[in-house]
Amino acid sequence: MYNDNPTIQDLNAKQIDEKKQGEVFGAEFAPKQAGEKRFYIESYGCQMNFSDSEIVASILGEAGYGPTRDMETADLILINTCSIREKAEETVRKRLRVFDKVKERQPGTMVGVLGCMAERLKSKFLEEEKLVDIVVGPDAYRDLPALVAGAEEGEKGVNVFLSREETYADINPVRLQSNGVTAFISIMRGCDNMCSFCVVPFTRGRERSRNAFSIVAEATDLFDRGFREVTLLGQNVDSYKWENPETGATVSFAELLTMVAAVDPDLRIRFSTSHPKDITDDVLYAMRDHENICKYIHLPVQSGNSRILDLMNRTYTREWYKDKVDRIYEIMPDCAISSDIIAGFCTETEAEHQETLSMIEYSNYSMSYMFFYSERPGTPAARKLEDDVPLEIKKRRLQEIINLQTEISRKHNLADVGKTFKVLIEGDSKKSDQDWKARNSQNKMVIFPKAAGKHRPGDYVTVTIHDATSATLFGKLVEA
Ligand code: 5AD
Ligand code: SF4
């Protein structure tokens, strides 16, 4: 879901797909009415950013700004940014050059930078990027209307205040670029983990969990509007913990999953991201016991070597992670696991890299998001460790990881040939409007020919798989 790395995405069709889905723009191309104001928004980075853009759309809607897909006619151009790797920030700067050109053609257009890069660079942005009008961090989106109003008067504005409470619980997100079937629900914000490579604790602040009832209400509303799948989002969902201020009772992530699963048996639940140290047996049992909680866990390992994991401050060892993987497959033999992997972290040796490769095999990941280490200013690793693995070696190790994962994904998918799955139709396949694109519980994309006039997006159908690549399953409808 991290759309900052096209080279690697080219090698991973699942990521290409998610990148395209993720290009969040507004809905309208229609000519503007007199006095009407429109915003255009692009999002980069994680799913959380895409979800935040939907919150921003709602806040701006209340302030009289409607969405547009056309940046040339927008009054306000926004870019929701990612700082996770240097490449992500370079992409944002390139886009800002494009927006500068629009501003030259259409004087008066305002440009705003949102998200993690806004938080990281703060007012420096206004010095570095002269044509940026507003800079707003992830916890300050309620202030957008005031900042935009100031910018309309020619006053540049910055709000990068990080909150300990803000969860935007009461805001009803505007679903941008929605397929009408699947939606994200943000359940918590921030991160307290302090993995040494990661900038997120600095850009998104302290961890806080959103009111469980507001999450259930959002899921219910989505279901009533025809949505059939929700993904519960957080940097570390397994540490979700909400205390009801009225009763003092707490809701754990396993309990939250059960509450959302009860909305309707036809509403599928996914979640992301899990930290191996926090995922509990209770979560695994909740998944096993509810057919509508998808059998898929994104469980980033980062490295397969215990020394590197320690330097990364991941707080688990290779053995501990393997035990967790064993436990998942023991409780749910049909569960798919995916991962995030970093190649070439500080001081990583060839033998340690080999342990990452063997971990991919051991865990039998259905897919992974794979990166080479990119030092981020201000992180514990940048302060204490030397980024001493040469770029060529990082790239070579990454390529080996990608090659192995592609092969494992292919085998994982080929093992599904002959199996029958219940899948949720999301829309037309990209290649042909004669085929549907759907997903099974394990989060695999399944392509199959339509039966004339019979189904629509949001329907569950049964499909038997007859072929597979490393990224996609191909099936045939089983007639009911
Ligand atoms: N360099 C490379 N990859 C990183 N990630 C996070 N920080 C960095 C970094 N500095 C990866 C991790 C994380 C995912 C979201 O991005 O794998 O799980
Ligand atoms: Fe998302 Fe921020 Fe992390 Fe980027 S740095 S992936 S935007 S949380």
Side-chain angles (χ1 to χ4, degrees), residues 448-463:
F448 59 95
K450 295 180 178 178
K454 255 193 149 172
H455 305 111
R456 23 179 220 156
D459 286 349
Y460 288 101
V461 293
T462 308
V463 171

Side-chain angles (χ1 to χ4, degrees), residues 2 84-85 197-198 300 302 340-342 371-374 376:
Y2 293 83
I84 199 109
R85 282 169 292 275
F197 51 78
C198 190
Q302 312 297 1
D340 289 347
I341 299 168
I342 299 178
F371 319 99
F372 60 75
Y373 174 58
S374 160
R376 307 311 294 130

Side-chain angles (χ1 to χ4, degrees), residues 207-460:
E207 187 178 289
R208 64 224 99 115
S209 297
R210 173 178 166 187
N211 180 320
F213 298 118
S214 78
I215 296 168
V216 172
E218 189 172 330
T220 307
D221 176 59
L222 285 164
F223 184 78
D224 291 345
R225 285 161 50 201
F227 286 81
R228 290 294 173 266
E229 184 181 295
V230 294
T231 302
L232 307 182
L233 286 184
Q235 244 71 42
N236 181 10
V237 288
D238 301 283
S239 65
Y240 175 89
K241 191 172 174 205
W242 178 68
E243 186 179 327
N244 186 334
E246 275 152 37
T247 61
T250 54
V251 178
S252 69
F253 183 57
E255 288 161 342
L256 178 72
L257 275 178
T258 308
M259 286 164 73
V260 181
V263 167
D264 196 287
D266 274 343
L267 181 70
R268 266 185 176 180
I269 328 297
R270 299 189 186 280
F271 55 88
S272 189
T273 295
S274 290
H275 194 300
K277 80 174 161 60
D278 292 318
I279 190 164
T280 60
D281 277 0
D282 283 349
V283 168
L284 303 181
Y285 293 139
M287 292 175 75
R288 180 196 62 189
D289 295 343
H290 293 86
E291 195 264 339
N292 58 336
I293 305 181
C294 290
K295 305 297 175 277
Y296 170 68
I297 303 178
H298 185 56
L299 194 74
V301 69
Q302 312 297 1
S303 163
N305 170 263
S306 295
R307 189 186 72 88
I308 294 293
L309 286 169
D310 185 40
L311 286 179
M312 289 176 162
N313 194 29
R314 291 290 288 177
T315 70
Y316 54 82
T317 60
R318 175 182 175 86
E319 287 64 40
W320 199 93
Y321 185 93
K322 284 167 86 176
D323 285 348
K324 193 55 86 179
V325 166
D326 292 347
R327 189 83 184 125
I328 293 169
Y329 289 141
E330 184 188 323
I331 294 175
M332 289 172 291
D334 63 339
C335 191
I337 306 177
S338 62
S339 195
D340 289 347
I341 299 168
I342 299 178
F345 188 65
C346 311
T347 73
E348 183 188 71
T349 65
E350 212 50 44
E352 289 164 343
H353 162 62
Q354 290 299 325
E355 285 202 86
T356 297
L357 293 174
S358 68
M359 184 63 102
I360 296 173
E361 255 172 301
Y362 185 88
S363 305
N364 193 26
Y365 297 129
S366 58
M367 56 110 37
S368 290
Y369 298 100
M370 299 157 283
F371 319 99
F372 60 75
Y373 174 58
S374 160
E375 187 179 80
R376 307 311 294 130
T379 55
R383 281 188 271 121
K384 291 190 213 118
L385 302 168
E386 198 186 339
D387 181 14
D388 59 354
V389 178
L391 186 60
E392 308 80 77
I393 294 186
K394 284 182 184 173
K395 285 189 175 167
R396 196 252 304 146
R397 288 183 189 166
L398 174 60
Q399 195 57 53
E400 287 175 12
I401 289 170
I402 292 170
N403 292 349
L404 177 64
Q405 180 60 65
T406 306
E407 188 48 29
I408 301 276
S409 297
R410 203 178 65 85
K411 282 192 199 149
H412 202 290
N413 287 349
L414 282 172
D416 287 337
V417 170
K419 287 187 192 164
T420 297
F421 293 109
K422 177 178 162 183
V423 298
L424 175 62
I425 299 177
E426 291 183 4
D428 286 352
S429 122
K430 232 172 302 158
K431 290 206 182 124
S432 160
D433 61 7
Q434 302 302 302
D435 292 340
W436 288 122
K437 176 179 87 171
R439 253 174 230 276
N440 69 3
S441 178
Q442 289 73 13
N443 205 33
K444 291 189 184 178
M445 179 86 72
V446 184
I447 305 292
F448 59 95
K450 295 180 178 178
K454 255 193 149 172
H455 305 111
R456 23 179 220 156
D459 286 349
Y460 288 101

Side-chain angles (χ1 to χ4, degrees), residues 2 44-46 49 81-84 116 199-200 203-204 235:
Y2 293 83
Y44 293 85
C46 61
N49 258 10
T81 61
C82 175
S83 290
I84 199 109
C116 291
V199 77
V200 171
T203 60
R204 287 189 166 269
Q235 244 71 42

Side-chain angles (χ1 to χ4, degrees), residues 162-194:
L162 282 177
S163 161
R164 278 178 175 257
E165 284 95 35
E166 181 64 272
T167 58
Y168 301 110
D170 56 315
I171 290 181
N172 195 6
V174 171
R175 306 291 163 184
L176 294 164
Q177 193 83 343
S178 165
N179 59 10
V181 179
T182 61
F184 296 130
I185 301 182
S186 164
I187 65 162
M188 58 202 297
R189 302 182 70 81
C191 183
D192 284 351
N193 278 335
M194 293 305 275

